[in-house]
Amino acid sequence: MDKYTLYVDESETFSQLDKSRRYFIMSGVIIQDNEYDDIDKKLKQIKVDMWKNDEAEQYILHEKDITAAQRRNPDIPEHYKIFKSKRNTISLYNKLSVIFKKSNITTLGVCLDKKQLTTDYGADHINNQFTIAIQLLIEHYCMFLIENNAIGSICYESMQPCQNIAIQQRIFELKALGTMYYSPNTIQQHIKEIVFIPKASNYTGLQLADFVPNTLGRYVANFRPKNVNFSSNVRRTLYKANCNKRKFGFKLLS
């Protein structure tokens, strides 16, 4: 069976029309394990092209730091100061866009309209946002793996130990109990492990995933994308499944 890894990240944003309406986005990029090295080389080449020095491959791309540089935040790492230049920022997003366009990457996403869900179910009763989002993300990842006769792992950027444990526990529960649509046996057959990787490990999959949730969130919230080309190519890679419906790639819960 082919092997894949889902690299996951999260973000929050608010509606352009109503700032009290906040969205929680959990999303990820699926990369076949035997194609990872090729995508890793492409991202390293982008870094070399951007910084043009021997240390460039070790720099870790993080969308928040790029945004901070554009806002002239003085607390960013020195090498991020090149993104004070609008031209450099556009160049980076365009280069990342090519990776999504030309590589075999599949994107998954779940967006929660927090205000609407809280109104409908009650603040004292509704499950936490992670619990809701991860179940749907796991279901759609499992659907992807079944369709491709594959098994897969999940990769998260390592956080505080208590946060890692909470995430791991929730995924173990889904494997033990199943989801709304998939039995425990199906989940266990196709989803094998979850790993937590420190940011300093410079994982290409996690760096690509870092740019996805805010891109999808801005699309839902009717904000102008940071880069039209990049946003278009990310949405083009959303998982469509056999039925060719985008709802399996990106689901808005409201």
Side-chain angles (χ1 to χ4, degrees), residues 110-150:
V110 177
C111 179
L112 309 185
D113 183 335
K114 297 173 62 175
K115 181 178 180 180
Q116 188 63 54
L117 291 175
T118 300
T119 298
D120 290 344
Y121 296 98
D124 294 334
H125 306 289
I126 192 169
N127 245 326
N128 69 69
Q129 58 191 23
F130 174 83
T131 297
I132 298 171
I134 192 65
Q135 174 167 317
L136 193 54
L137 198 74
I138 291 289
E139 283 185 337
H140 291 171
Y141 183 35
C142 193
M143 178 184 291
F144 170 88
L145 294 171
I146 291 169
E147 183 177 290
N148 288 278
N149 189 31

Side-chain angles (χ1 to χ4, degrees), residues 72-122:
R72 301 297 193 268
N73 187 321
D75 298 325
I76 58 172
E78 181 67 28
H79 61 273
Y80 267 97
K81 292 182 179 179
I82 67 168
F83 297 114
K84 290 181 179 180
S85 162
K86 184 176 181 180
R87 178 180 295 180
N88 286 338
T89 302
I90 291 172
S91 176
L92 174 65
Y93 274 99
N94 285 341
K95 291 176 188 296
L96 291 174
S97 181
V98 172
I99 290 185
F100 278 84
K101 183 177 182 179
K102 295 187 176 181
S103 302
N104 186 18
I105 292 175
T106 301
T107 305
L108 291 177
V110 177
C111 179
L112 309 185
D113 183 335
K114 297 173 62 175
K115 181 178 180 180
Q116 188 63 54
L117 291 175
T118 300
T119 298
D120 290 344
Y121 296 98

